[in-house]
Amino acid sequence: MESIETAPRQVHGEKGDDHQYVLHEESKETIRDAGLATAKEHTLPVRTALSLYPKAIAWSILLSMAVIMEGFDTVLIGSYLGFPSFNNTFGNIVVDGSPSITAPWQAAVTNGAYIGEILGLQITGYLIGWFGNKKVMGGATVLMIAFIFVSFFGKTLGVQLAGQILCGIPWGVYQTVTTVYASEVLPTNLRGYLTSYVNLCWVIGQFIASGVLVGVQSRTDEWGWRIPYAIQWIWPVPLILVCIFCPESPTWLVEHGKLNEAENAFKRLQSDHDGSIAPTPQEAIALVSQTIERERQITMGAGYMDCFKGTNLRRTEITVVTWIVQQMCGPVLQTYAIYFFENAGLPSAQAFNMGLGLYAIAFVGTLLSWPMIKRFGRRQIFLWGLVSIFVSLMIVGFLSLGKQTTSTSWAIGAFLLIYTFIYDSTIGPLTYVIVPETPSSRLRHKTVVLARNAYNITCIWTGVITPYMLNTTAWNWGAKAGFFWAGSTALCLVWAYFRLPETKGFTFEEIDMLFEEKVSARKFSSVRREIAVASGGVAQ
């Protein structure tokens, strides 16, 4: 295979008589600085990066806190289906002498947030282009404060559905901004940790929600479901303060010609250093500028339709399908964990304890994904994660074929916990790493919007069919649903093997080059080794 260039290409200037580019002095300086930034990114050790970018890490962590709210509410609405206080208030059917909610309403309420997220995401692609990450995040959080009131005071299933749709709008903003911001403010070797941290925030929200539900599960009045809703008001005020004081993404500032502000942003993201190891603000701006200029030459526009033109079509496919895979390998069973455990035969108290343990395991799994990301990158973890998930789901399905005893129910629950550990140490966090790395810089927000909306549409579909799978008044599959999700996982594995590239260790400009030269997904790793040798270091 022909070696990929590792030095930045010439991007400015005028053609001379020999048809070669004759560069202006300013362009030569830009290319030189971009080349220095690229070389330093490849040789920057992780420990040094941690010491030089603590402020960037802190801002990314604080901004990603917004995703905790979404993870929190996702568990609430799914767990409420097996919650006495919620069923006593909203039950519209009686099953075995107790109020319950019909499968169509279960599907509607649990999927309402996804409808709102689709709207919020689509708007976000335009709003960020006009106003930037900070203002859009801050405005969404103000709306979040108001929309929580709808869910808190709603006394009918229709109002609860409206509350979920409205809350989904700011959640759509959070889903885009948090991952993109993390990928744009950090050096190459820290991107994987902080983008996967977004998944950890999701898990933290789920874990907190499970703990809150355990605390109020004995209540049968309306405060049993209202108190967890009210807890969501904890996050907006500190999040608004973060949005006010955090630096804007330098990539967005460069894209909009605000180079002085971009330089100040880089200074606020880095600790003081002499520039011998890490890129200086000027070098970092040169690299971002050159990457954006290259992309302008390849794709003149920056609208949604440009995501489907030229090399961007392949990049959009990878981004979109990666997020679809995250949902199509069965994590919806986690959303319905307590309901699933109860229908598998576990007592209510034990089902809630298993749900709490499930999210604790997810937390640990996400933490363990970090050393694996450094050692193995993206592609290997993703592929082996799908293989392991397939095996665990098949076991859950086979366990359901035998006589249903207490021991069988506990075994099914145990393998769901194993599934959770595998998922949240592989597919869960790796999706948040792959998605913001794959698109071009100019189309990153819009490509992530398309991908997340594809994910949300998939969630609506899985959210509609899963209540029917588990509901005793509908299909009543129980743990046999494991077979369905195992088959879906197998299809995802086939796609990932042939289409998912390894982006570990590449700068965004190098990723542009690889897609422009149509390098096979299975050959990205060998190119990374060539770049590591050429730069005299090890690609992180």
Side-chain angles (χ1 to χ4, degrees):
M1 182 188 68
E2 184 180 349
S3 178
I4 300 296
E5 297 178 53
T6 59
R9 296 179 179 179
Q10 300 173 350
V11 294
H12 296 290
E14 300 171 351
K15 285 188 177 180
D17 293 337
D18 59 352
H19 302 291
Q20 299 298 313
Y21 278 101
V22 179
L23 298 179
H24 302 303
E25 289 302 317
E26 184 178 82
S27 298
K28 290 180 180 178
E29 183 179 350
T30 299
I31 290 175
R32 183 200 65 199
D33 286 347
L36 289 172
T38 301
K40 291 175 182 178
E41 290 245 354
H42 283 308
T43 57
L44 182 65
V46 172
R47 287 187 179 182
T48 305
L50 291 171
S51 66
L52 291 177
Y53 291 89
K55 290 181 281 187
I57 294 169
W59 286 122
S60 178
I61 287 174
L62 290 172
L63 204 64
S64 297
M65 180 176 64
V67 180
I68 294 176
M69 284 192 290
E70 185 182 5
F72 184 94
D73 192 73
T74 300
V75 171
L76 289 190
I77 201 64
S79 300
Y80 277 168
L81 301 180
F83 217 57
S85 65
F86 195 79
N87 283 310
N88 287 341
T89 304
F90 300 102
N92 57 1
I93 190 175
V94 177
V95 179
D96 296 331
S98 300
S100 185
I101 299 172
T102 57
W105 269 110
Q106 286 183 359
V109 173
T110 55
N111 285 299
Y114 296 124
I115 297 172
E117 287 171 14
I118 290 172
L119 298 174
L121 281 161
Q122 207 64 34
I123 296 170
T124 300
Y126 294 106
L127 292 180
I128 289 180
W130 298 332
F131 303 111
N133 297 274
K134 293 177 52 174
K135 292 180 181 179
V136 175
M137 275 285 287
T141 305
V142 172
L143 290 177
M144 191 74 221
I145 295 174
F147 293 158
I148 292 172
F149 278 96
V150 179
S151 296
F152 181 82
F153 287 106
K155 295 293 294 286
T156 67
L157 287 171
V159 176
Q160 286 296 314
L161 174 59
Q164 290 298 301
I165 292 173
L166 290 173
C167 287
I169 294 173
W171 288 337
V173 176
Y174 299 159
Q175 291 166 355
T176 305
V177 174
T178 51
T179 53
V180 172
Y181 187 85
S183 70
E184 291 183 345
V185 301
L186 291 155
T188 302
N189 60 355
L190 295 183
R191 282 199 316 245
Y193 302 116
L194 271 299
T195 49
S196 63
Y197 171 76
V198 176
N199 182 76
L200 185 63
C201 288
W202 181 281
V203 173
I204 290 171
Q206 293 174 322
F207 182 76
I208 294 173
S210 297
V212 170
L213 289 172
V214 168
V216 298
Q217 66 172 315
S218 60
R219 299 190 68 111
T220 57
D221 61 352
E222 64 185 33
W223 288 101
W225 56 267
R226 277 187 166 176
I227 290 173
Y229 274 147
I231 290 174
Q232 291 181 100
W233 277 308
I234 292 174
W235 287 281
V237 172
L239 186 59
I240 289 172
L241 294 176
V242 172
C243 294
I244 291 173
F245 293 107
C246 73
E248 181 57 80
S249 163
T251 300
W252 186 89
L253 293 170
V254 172
E255 169 73 16
H256 289 76
K258 301 180 179 182
L259 300 185
N260 290 334
E261 292 181 39
E263 183 174 345
N264 291 332
F266 272 120
K267 290 178 180 177
R268 292 187 61 195
L269 294 168
Q270 295 178 335
S271 297
D272 293 335
H273 62 94
D274 60 9
S276 60
I277 298 176
T280 64
Q282 294 78 14
E283 292 167 351
I285 288 174
L287 180 56
V288 173
S289 298
Q290 186 154 277
T291 302
I292 291 173
E293 183 61 31
R294 163 189 285 278
E295 292 168 0
R296 281 198 177 104
Q297 293 179 352
I298 298 172
T299 305
M300 295 304 295
Y304 280 109
M305 292 306 298
D306 293 291
C307 296
F308 302 97
K309 295 178 181 178
T311 58
N312 287 316
L313 175 60
R314 180 186 174 194
R315 301 172 81 159
T316 301
E317 176 220 326
I318 293 168
T319 309
V320 168
V321 179
T322 297
W323 230 328
I324 290 175
V325 168
Q326 193 195 46
Q327 181 63 17
M328 289 302 294
C329 60
V332 68
L333 296 179
Q334 296 176 340
T335 305
Y336 292 88
I338 294 174
Y339 183 81
F340 186 88
F341 289 142
E342 288 180 339
N343 280 280
L346 298 181
S348 179
Q350 292 177 341
F352 274 93
N353 290 333
M354 287 284 279
L356 188 60
L358 183 146
Y359 295 114
I361 288 173
F363 183 93
V364 173
T366 303
L367 292 179
L368 291 178
S369 72
W370 292 348
M372 290 197 298
I373 288 172
K374 182 179 185 299
R375 174 66 179 85
F376 300 108
R378 289 79 166 124
R379 177 180 164 87
Q380 285 189 60
I381 300 174
F382 207 85
L383 292 176
W384 283 108
L386 288 173
V387 170
S388 302
I389 285 172
F390 172 80
V391 173
S392 64
L393 288 172
M394 288 295 290
I395 292 174
V396 168
F398 279 117
L399 285 171
S400 69
L401 298 180
K403 183 179 180 181
Q404 295 304 296
T405 64
T406 302
S407 297
T408 303
S409 297
W410 276 108
I412 291 170
F415 272 100
L416 277 176
L417 296 180
I418 293 171
Y419 165 89
T420 298
F421 177 78
I422 296 169
Y423 175 85
D424 280 289
S425 59
T426 58
I427 307 302
L430 261 295
T431 298
Y432 289 94
V433 179
I434 295 166
V435 164
E437 284 185 342
T438 305
S440 67
S441 297
R442 298 185 71 214
L443 294 171
R444 186 168 293 119
H445 281 101
K446 289 183 172 63
T447 308
V448 171
V449 164
L450 292 172
R452 188 67 189 193
N453 267 341
Y455 168 87
N456 287 331
I457 292 170
T458 307
C459 286
I460 292 173
W461 179 75
T462 59
V464 167
I465 65 171
T466 302
Y468 286 92
M469 290 181 185
L470 305 181
N471 197 308
T472 55
T473 63
W475 303 345
N476 195 26
W477 287 7
K480 294 182 181 67
F483 287 128
F484 177 88
W485 296 116
S488 176
T489 301
L491 296 176
C492 294
L493 178 60
V494 172
W495 173 85
Y497 179 78
F498 289 104
R499 300 296 291 171
L500 184 67
E502 177 58 76
T503 52
K504 175 178 180 281
F506 293 118
T507 65
F508 286 131
E509 186 185 25
E510 289 164 344
I511 293 173
D512 286 345
M513 293 179 187
L514 291 166
F515 281 109
E516 185 182 348
E517 300 191 19
K518 298 180 173 59
V519 176
S520 166
R522 286 171 285 173
K523 293 182 179 179
F524 270 51
S525 295
S526 61
V527 174
R528 181 166 57 86
R529 287 191 291 272
E530 292 178 20
I531 291 177
V533 172
S535 62
V538 178
Q540 297 291 330

